[in-house]
Amino acid sequence: MTPLPMKPLRQQNNRPVMTYRPRVEPAPPAHAWRVEGFKDVWMLRNRYVAFVLVGNAFSQSPPFTLPEAAQRWATQIRQENEIS
C-alpha cells in the first residue's frame, strides 16, 4: 500500500484591510427622509444614514439598521473633525 500524497498548504489570503472612507456630498439627497428625534440621521433606501457637514460638503455614513448607530457615527465624525 502506497501512502497518499499530502495536499499542499493553502496560501494565506494577505489582502490589505479596507477602511471606510465617507462619501462627500454637496447636500443630503432630496429623496432622503429626516428621522425625527435625531440630529444628523436620514432614512435612505430603508436604511439609516448620517450626513455630517465637514468643511463645505456633507460626509455620508455607511448604511445602518438602527438610527442610534448612525447618530453615534455622526457624533464620532464631529469629534474627529474638532480635534484636527
Side-chain angles (χ1 to χ4, degrees), residues 5-6 8 10 12-13 17 29-30 33 36 40 47 50 52 77 81:
M6 292 182 64
R10 291 185 72 179
Q12 295 296 319
N13 193 356
V17 175
W33 297 347
E36 287 188 35
D40 305 304
R47 292 293 182 122
V52 179
I77 293 298
N81 287 327

Side-chain angles (χ1 to χ4, degrees), residues 1-2 18 20 22-23 30 39 41 44 65-66 70 74 77 80 82:
M1 185 168 177
T2 61
M18 294 181 65
Y20 178 77
R23 287 180 50 179
K39 183 178 178 182
V41 181
L44 184 64
T65 55
L66 296 173
I77 293 298
E80 287 176 2
E82 286 176 4

Side-chain angles (χ1 to χ4, degrees), residues 20 22-23 28 34-35 37-42 48-54 57-64 66-83:
Y20 178 77
R23 287 180 50 179
R34 186 136 198 170
V35 177
F38 294 95
K39 183 178 178 182
D40 305 304
V41 181
W42 299 71
Y48 297 101
V49 177
F51 289 95
V52 179
L53 186 61
V54 178
F58 284 90
S59 290
Q60 178 181 337
S61 73
F64 293 101
L66 296 173
E68 293 85 4
Q71 186 61 54
R72 278 195 306 269
W73 181 90
T75 304
Q76 181 179 354
I77 293 298
R78 285 182 191 279
Q79 288 174 352
E80 287 176 2
N81 287 327
E82 286 176 4
I83 293 171

